[in-house]
Amino acid sequence: MFLSTVRGAAVLVGIAAFTVSCSANPASAPVADVSASSAASASPQGTSSTAPTASRSGSTSSALPAERVSDALAGLQATLKDSCTPGDCAYFLGRVYDELHRLDRAMKADPKGPGNFPEPISLIAKLDTALDGDHAFDNLKRHQTLLVGTRDKINVWMKAHPDDYR
């Protein structure tokens, strides 16, 4: 296997270093400790590194700026032409749920304050109450009408209040 060779590990380290050096904001980009991960990759036994990996739902660093509401809204609007098709329903419903909560976090962190977005924040809170903390596919499917309706109502509200997030 390519990565099990020392040369492969060296290439991996080079790619990782290049990726870190090409960060959009070098001041806030974390510097990766590639020596630990490359040593694990280069080991002949093929053992994996015990270094923790970043999770999608992990906490964000206070050094990172809050996401803009307009960017989060764009992510939500990207789901407008999608639907719950048999082969894609779990992905679609999960994405709508994730995008709604991405927008919720952005609105609550907005410099104008969460009071600037009362209806969208309230709609997401009602959705969360109905879901009762369960965002597994089966529960999202049971609440599909509410989930998609919440997305659509928020989209309409935001279009009527463009000055609030631009």
Side-chain angles (χ1 to χ4, degrees):
M1 174 179 234
F2 179 72
L3 290 178
S4 65
T5 66
V6 175
R7 185 181 307 181
V11 169
L12 183 61
V13 169
I15 291 171
F18 178 73
T19 303
V20 170
S21 69
C22 292
S23 174
N25 187 354
S28 67
V31 177
D33 180 10
V34 294
S35 60
S37 62
S38 64
S41 298
S43 75
Q45 293 85 10
T47 58
S48 64
S49 171
T50 59
T53 57
S55 86
R56 182 175 175 215
S57 62
S59 64
T60 58
S61 168
S62 61
L64 296 175
E67 182 172 22
R68 291 180 41 181
V69 173
S70 59
D71 294 340
L73 178 61
L76 183 65
Q77 288 176 328
T79 68
L80 290 173
K81 293 187 180 182
D82 293 337
S83 63
C84 192
T85 60
D88 215 21
C89 194
Y91 169 77
F92 168 71
L93 295 178
R95 179 154 183 228
V96 170
Y97 176 87
D98 289 346
E99 294 295 346
L100 282 168
H101 287 84
R102 177 180 162 207
L103 179 61
D104 188 52
R105 287 187 304 274
M107 289 184 296
K108 289 176 179 175
D110 189 76
K112 294 178 185 177
N116 198 48
F117 306 97
E119 189 172 336
I121 290 174
S122 173
L123 289 168
I124 293 170
K126 287 177 187 174
L127 172 67
D128 286 344
T129 299
L131 293 175
D132 195 29
D134 180 8
H135 56 269
F137 170 66
D138 292 337
N139 198 39
L140 293 179
K141 183 69 175 154
R142 273 191 296 280
H143 294 91
Q144 178 178 348
T145 302
L146 177 61
L147 180 67
V148 174
T150 300
R151 175 202 65 185
D152 294 345
K153 288 176 185 174
I154 289 173
N155 185 53
V156 168
W157 189 93
M158 295 298 262
K159 283 183 175 181
H161 298 84
D163 293 335
D164 290 347
Y165 63 89
R166 288 189 178 152

